């Protein structure tokens, strides 16, 4: 009788053991973030274009061919000058005296319709003033004066422009003059965006190109040719136009990322229609806005609830162990966020890691998931009741 009772008990236990090992179930309260929310980049309909956003590691181009770049050439002019004669905010740099030949050169290029500013024989012009006139009002005669100041002649200066282009890895960029009026000065949209990003590391350049006008000794106050400077977070950089190049614009727009101000560069080459500069500026602005307006974010504080785990009504919240923050621009790429909660077969205790929150928007981020309180399956006695 005793043996029979023991066997019966063992049989009952064997029937209950599978019930004691029931896996947990989970629920999630975090909606999936996928490519379904993607926006599109507003590339222009003609010409070529590029986006360069250093803070995001973005270097993207559209129809990126080697073409004339008009006054965007002056970006390299400024780079070569500052390489030879570094300048800090508030400093004037070396100065030169304007000669009668300089005045005659101004008269010549003005008669040809090139951008320039008035000068007078005997006038003293310093590096800072020349850079202001070069970058804000695109003064071609100031480019010639800077070439003389730094390398002694335009020929030597242009040679240095090409040497620097190669050093910077701008393999599709070549210069034949300091101003870009010659269609032989060529580059690609992407390389002009990369050059602008390098040049804008200079506090002096950034302060100069952010001006909508500048006051010069003889010419007085002259305006910037770069569209939208000072509007909608646009901080320059440079525009240009010739019949051969069409309308060209390198536009820098500021935006905030993780509490810091960053710059995004949109480049448009070969715009057509109207005064050329207007269409180029409009297309660069549309390109910038299409990306920066697609910003999305996901933020969870430490302890933020993302789901539950448990057995039947015996459940506990699943929370993120540490703060989680993700910012991305859906026009550039999607951010795939996945939530994995492991299956448990035994009781879980507060702080126990039960899964992971993973996100990939170019770089993979992972945050551990833990449980907020104890949860356990029903015991044998509870099931026998």
């Amino acid at each position: 009788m005793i043996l029979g009772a023991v066997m019966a008990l063992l049989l009952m236990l064997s029937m209950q053991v599978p019930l004691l090992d029931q896996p947990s179930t989970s629920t999630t309260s975090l909606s999936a973030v996928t490519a379904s929310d993607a926006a599109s980049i507003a590339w222009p309909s003609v010409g070529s274009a590029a986006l360069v956003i250093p803070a995001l590691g973005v270097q993207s181009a559209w129809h990126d061919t080697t073409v004339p770049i008009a006054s965007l050439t002056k970006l390299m002019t400024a780079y070569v000058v500052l390489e030879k004669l570094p300048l800090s905010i508030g400093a004037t740099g070396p100065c030169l005296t304007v000669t009668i030949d300089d005045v005659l050169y101004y008269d010549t290029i003005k008669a040809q319709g090139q951008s320039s500013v008035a000068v007078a024989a005997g006038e003293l012009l310093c590096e800072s003033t020349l850079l202001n006139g070069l970058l804000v009002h695109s003064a071609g005669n100031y480019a010639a004066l800077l070439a003389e100041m730094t390398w002694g002649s335009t020929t030597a200066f242009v040679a240095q422009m090409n040497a620097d282009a190669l050093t910077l890895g701008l393999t599709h960029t070549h210069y034949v003059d300091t101003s870009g009026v010659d269609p032989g000065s060529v580059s690609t949209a992407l390389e002009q965006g990369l050059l602008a990003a390098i040049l804008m590391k200079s506090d002096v350049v950034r302060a100069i190109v952010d001006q909508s006008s500048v006051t010069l000794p003889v010419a007085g106050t002259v305006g910037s040719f770069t569209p939208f400077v000072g509007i909608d977070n646009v901080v320059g950089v440079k525009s240009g136009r010739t019949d051969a190049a069409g309308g060209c614009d390198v536009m820098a727009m500021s935006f905030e990322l993780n509490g810091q101000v960053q710059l995004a560069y949109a480049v448009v080459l070969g715009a057509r229609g109207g005064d050329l500069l207007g269409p180029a500026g409009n297309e660069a602005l549309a390109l910038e806005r299409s990306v920066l307006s697609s910003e999305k974010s996901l933020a969870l504080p430490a302890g933020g609830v993302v789901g539950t785990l448990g057995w039947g009504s015996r459940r506990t919240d699943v929370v993120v162990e540490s703060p989680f923050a993700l910012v991305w621009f859906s026009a550039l790429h999607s951010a795939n966020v996945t939530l994995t909660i492991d299956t448990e077969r035994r009781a879980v205790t507060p702080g126990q890691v039960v899964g992971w929150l993973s996100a990939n928007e170019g770089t993979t981020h992972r945050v551990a998931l833990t449980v907020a309180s104890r949860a356990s399956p029903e015991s044998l006695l509870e099931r026998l009741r």
Side-chain angles (χ1 to χ4, degrees), residues 166-242:
L166 289 177
T167 300
L168 295 173
L170 309 180
T171 58
H172 297 89
T173 299
H174 182 74
Y175 300 100
V176 297
D177 66 353
T178 60
S179 64
V181 67
D182 192 314
S185 289
V186 297
S187 186
T188 68
L190 181 57
E191 291 191 358
Q192 286 304 291
L194 295 173
L195 175 59
I198 293 169
L199 190 59
M200 287 287 277
K201 291 178 181 179
S202 165
D203 291 337
V204 169
V205 171
R206 188 162 173 169
I208 290 174
V209 301
D210 199 21
Q211 302 173 103
S212 59
S213 65
V214 63
T215 301
L216 303 172
V218 173
T221 300
V222 292
S224 172
F225 288 118
T226 303
F228 302 111
V229 172
I231 301 172
D232 199 12
N233 298 320
V234 174
V235 290
V237 179
K238 190 74 184 71
S239 63
R241 62 183 170 190
T242 63

Side-chain angles (χ1 to χ4, degrees), residues 10 17 19 169 259 273 308 358 373:
L10 290 174
V17 166
L19 296 176
T308 67
S358 300
S373 58

Side-chain angles (χ1 to χ4, degrees), residues 336-362:
N336 297 310
V337 177
T338 58
L339 196 68
T340 304
I341 300 176
D342 300 332
T343 297
E344 303 292 337
R345 292 183 178 274
R346 292 183 174 81
V348 292
T349 55
Q352 180 178 331
V353 175
V354 295
W356 296 90
L357 173 62
S358 300
N360 191 321
E361 39 70 67

Side-chain angles (χ1 to χ4, degrees), residues 211-286:
Q211 302 173 103
S212 59
S213 65
V214 63
T215 301
L216 303 172
V218 173
T221 300
V222 292
S224 172
F225 288 118
T226 303
F228 302 111
V229 172
I231 301 172
D232 199 12
N233 298 320
V234 174
V235 290
V237 179
K238 190 74 184 71
S239 63
R241 62 183 170 190
T242 63
D243 290 341
C248 304
D249 191 25
V250 178
M251 177 181 289
M253 181 180 285
S254 65
F255 68 101
E256 189 171 301
L257 181 66
N258 298 324
Q260 294 187 326
V261 176
Q262 306 289 353
L263 290 177
Y265 299 89
V267 183
V268 171
L269 303 180
R272 296 294 171 181
D275 65 352
L276 300 179
L277 288 183
N282 289 334
E283 290 170 354
L285 185 62

Side-chain angles (χ1 to χ4, degrees), residues 20 45 69 92 102 111 155 166 217 235 255 280 289 312 333-334 344 377:
L20 295 177
S45 57
I69 55 173
T92 61
D102 297 327
T155 300
L166 289 177
V235 290
F255 68 101
R289 285 175 170 171
H333 53 69
S334 61
E344 303 292 337

Side-chain angles (χ1 to χ4, degrees), residues 34-52:
T34 65
S36 62
D37 60 5
S40 59
I41 298 176
W43 296 114
S45 57
V46 296
S48 58
L51 279 167
V52 175

Side-chain angles (χ1 to χ4, degrees), residues 292-346:
L292 298 183
S293 66
S294 73
E295 179 180 349
K296 297 184 180 298
S297 63
L298 175 64
L300 296 167
V305 177
V306 295
T308 67
L309 179 146
W311 294 263
S313 61
R314 294 167 173 259
R315 311 196 68 77
T316 179
D317 287 336
V318 176
V319 301
V320 290
E321 185 178 49
S322 56
F324 175 84
L326 182 68
V327 177
W328 73 101
F329 295 83
S330 63
L332 300 173
H333 53 69
S334 61
N336 297 310
V337 177
T338 58
L339 196 68
T340 304
I341 300 176
D342 300 332
T343 297
E344 303 292 337
R345 292 183 178 274
R346 292 183 174 81

